[in-house]
Amino acid sequence: MAVGRKPEKAAGAGAERYIAVFTALRRLLTPYERDLAVKIDKPDNCYLETRSASLNGRRLFFAAVKLKKNYVSFYLTPLFMYPELSDRVSPALKGMMQGQSCFNFTAVDQDCFDELDRLTQAGFQRIKSEALL
């Protein structure tokens, strides 16, 4: 994450809490920065994609975390690409789910974050095994 800059979108009483959520979720993506391209790395937005082009000639979106005004979103595209990964999502984490591959958080939830970490690892391994990096 860029150092010395404060996130712009979080405001009000919950801002510090959302920043803590963003920071915790941002850490989940750090292990993949060597193998994936970092398209965006700002204090309120991190976006990882493959280094090589996919079938349509564009890079494949892998994951992102974005600080919004009232929550933090974590996007994990492999859940959409590989539905069997979604079968692993616990009821607690499913409660945070918006659509097929997005999770919204308003507070740090270490159990859900640990589960997201495992799902991110599984998604990365799947993409790696199919030589989509």
Side-chain angles (χ1 to χ4, degrees):
M1 178 166 63
V3 180
R5 293 176 50 202
K6 291 187 178 181
E8 299 167 7
K9 293 186 181 174
E16 293 300 318
R17 176 179 55 184
Y18 300 143
I19 292 167
V21 172
F22 176 85
T23 301
L25 289 170
R26 172 65 180 90
R27 275 191 217 111
L28 298 182
L29 299 181
T30 303
Y32 308 99
E33 291 178 2
R34 285 175 296 155
D35 296 303
L36 297 168
V38 180
K39 182 174 182 178
I40 299 172
D41 189 7
K42 295 181 178 180
D44 61 355
N45 188 5
C46 178
Y47 181 114
L48 301 179
E49 63 186 9
T50 58
R51 293 187 184 275
S52 59
S54 65
L55 295 175
N56 65 3
R58 297 163 65 191
R59 292 178 175 192
L60 179 67
F61 169 59
F62 175 71
V65 61
K66 187 166 186 165
L67 178 64
K68 299 193 177 178
K69 185 175 179 180
N70 295 313
Y71 55 91
V72 180
S73 293
F74 186 89
Y75 304 90
L76 187 60
T77 302
L79 291 179
F80 177 77
M81 295 171 57
Y82 309 110
E84 67 276 8
L85 291 178
S86 293
D87 295 341
R88 299 182 190 180
V89 177
S90 70
L93 185 56
K94 199 169 277 271
M96 306 297 184
M97 202 168 198
Q98 302 294 312
Q100 294 178 320
S101 61
C102 176
F103 302 88
N104 291 335
F105 296 93
T106 57
V108 172
D109 183 329
Q110 197 57 54
D111 289 338
C112 284
F113 291 3
D114 289 344
E115 185 177 349
L116 271 179
D117 188 31
R118 291 187 298 274
L119 287 168
T120 304
Q121 288 174 16
F124 176 79
Q125 290 304 321
R126 183 71 183 266
I127 286 173
K128 188 175 179 179
S129 73
E130 294 186 13
L132 296 174
L133 295 177

